[in-house]
Amino acid sequence: GGIADYAIDNETAWIVPQEDAKAIANKVLEVLESPEKVKVISERARALVEDEYDWDKIAKRMQKEVFEPVL
């Protein structure tokens, strides 16, 4: 679904294999040991969400791309 659109490993999120406890533990340690990286990734993620998932922008894009062509 939509998560794949914005969850990019080490850019806007931290992704680990499903049900891999060791990978999860290692990623948690990495996050705890890298506060600057956490800040950068968090800022990127927030900027992406604010830019791409703002409801006003989505509504305008839907109007232009979906509704106007059929009306």
Side-chain angles (χ1 to χ4, degrees):
I3 291 176
D5 294 340
Y6 63 86
I8 302 162
D9 194 29
N10 288 313
E11 288 186 32
T12 58
W14 293 274
I15 299 174
V16 295
Q18 183 176 344
E19 298 182 26
D20 185 340
K22 186 172 181 160
I24 293 169
N26 288 336
K27 192 60 73 169
V28 168
L29 289 174
E30 178 185 331
V31 168
L32 292 173
E33 294 170 352
S34 308
E36 273 304 310
K37 185 175 181 179
V38 170
K39 182 179 178 186
V40 169
I41 290 175
S42 297
E43 288 171 352
R44 283 186 197 146
R46 182 178 184 100
L48 176 69
V49 169
E50 287 176 348
D51 187 52
E52 295 294 324
Y53 297 94
D54 175 270
W55 282 112
D56 290 332
K57 290 179 182 179
I58 291 170
K60 287 176 185 173
R61 193 165 52 235
M62 288 290 292
Q63 180 180 359
K64 181 178 179 181
E65 296 175 10
V66 176
F67 300 119
E68 286 179 4
V70 296
L71 295 177

